[in-house]
């Protein structure tokens, strides 16, 4: 019997219908749902969601938890800001597949997406630390879930790790997201770019339409 899958869709643009990354993600999800009508898609719009506060208490709890776990403890109780950490991390871990659409903001990601990453990237929750020969070794716990990223940027960026020679236009968006999700255990990461979106006109429309076609194809294999 077919097991219903849960897809978590993280939407990181606040621009609603004006957002190119959201527009391509909608096309992806429409094609996905047409192929997998039984599956559930949970939408987490990061600029509307009530993300848990992660401040002094949460930061201290994170570091306490690392020490507790490394010295053989069972980890912290879900209290205070740590309760929010557990809640958001459970949402991520309970998904079978993850879709993320995001703009590039100042060469990287919007602060609400960084907020979400800071909440869910947690020791004993989404990664573990072991001490081997006095050195920490990190292992991601969020495994066996494909991640489809749909990333928009005003300028075009090449698919490579940022280099000094990239000058003032350097892509830390893709590089950072791939790194952050790999750290949590993701290995099957797929990418659709929507770029460049900065200059209105027929070239922009053509770029978006081509990303939408790419999205429909990718959805069938997701
Ligand atoms: C606050 C802000 C910062 C931006 N920074 C960059 C940038 O560093 N590089 C770039 O190419 N485009 C930048 N852009 C343009 C966006 O990446 C572009 O408009 C993209 O389409 C946004 O995604 P969205 O359409 O899904 O909202 C920025 C836009 C905003 C609003």
């Amino acid at each position: 019997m077919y097991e219903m899958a849960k897809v978590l869709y993280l939407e990181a643009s606040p621009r609603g219908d004006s957002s190119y990354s959201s527009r391509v993600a909608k096309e992806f999800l429409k094609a996905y749902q047409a192929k997998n009508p039984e599956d559930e898609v949970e939408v987490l719009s990061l600029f509307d969601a009530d993300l848990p506060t992660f401040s002094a208490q949460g930061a201290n709890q994170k570091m306490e938890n690392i020490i507790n776990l490394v010295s053989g403890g069972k980890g912290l109780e879900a209290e205070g800001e740590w309760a929010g950490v557990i809640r958001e991390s459970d949402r991520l871990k309970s998904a079978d597949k993850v879709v993320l659409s995001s703009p590039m903001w100042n060469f990287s990601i919007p602060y609400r997406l960084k907020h979400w990453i800071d909440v869910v990237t947690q020791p004993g929750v989404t990664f573990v630390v072991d001490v081997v020969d006095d050195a920490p070794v990190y292992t991601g716990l969020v495994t066996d879930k494909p991640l489809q990223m749909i990333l928009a940027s005003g300028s075009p960026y090449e698919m490579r790790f940022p280099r000094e020679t990239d000058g003032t236009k350097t892509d830390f968006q893709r590089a950072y997201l791939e790194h952050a999700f790999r750290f949590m255990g993701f290995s099957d990461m797929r990418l659709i770019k929507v770029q460049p979106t900065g200059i209105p006109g027929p070239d922009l429309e053509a770029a978006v339409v081509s990303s939408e076609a790419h999205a429909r194809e990718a959805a069938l294999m997701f």
Side-chain angles (χ1 to χ4, degrees), residues 33 52 68 76 114 117 119 121 144 169 174 186 212 222:
Q33 290 209 284
N68 177 298
L76 297 186
K114 181 61 165 49
I117 291 172
V119 167
T121 308
D144 305 318
K169 285 294 207 175
R174 179 186 62 82
F186 286 81
E212 285 179 323
F222 193 57

Side-chain angles (χ1 to χ4, degrees), residues 120-139:
V120 301
T121 308
Q122 300 293 354
V125 183
T126 51
F127 71 91
V128 282
V129 196
D130 294 301
V131 178
V132 179
D133 296 334
D134 292 329
V137 175
Y138 299 89
T139 310

Side-chain angles (χ1 to χ4, degrees), residues 13 15 19-21 103-107 152-155 157 169 197:
S13 176
R15 299 195 315 124
S19 159
Y20 294 107
S21 58
M104 176 184 284
W105 274 13
N106 297 317
F107 319 108
S153 55
S155 303
Y157 291 84
K169 285 294 207 175
T197 65

Side-chain angles (χ1 to χ4, degrees), residues 82-107:
W82 202 251
V85 161
I86 301 296
R87 190 186 78 221
E88 267 328 302
S89 307
D90 280 350
R91 191 201 305 278
L92 172 64
K93 291 196 290 186
S94 72
D96 300 296
K97 306 176 184 188
V98 182
V99 178
L100 164 67
S101 65
S102 179
M104 176 184 284
W105 274 13
N106 297 317
F107 319 108

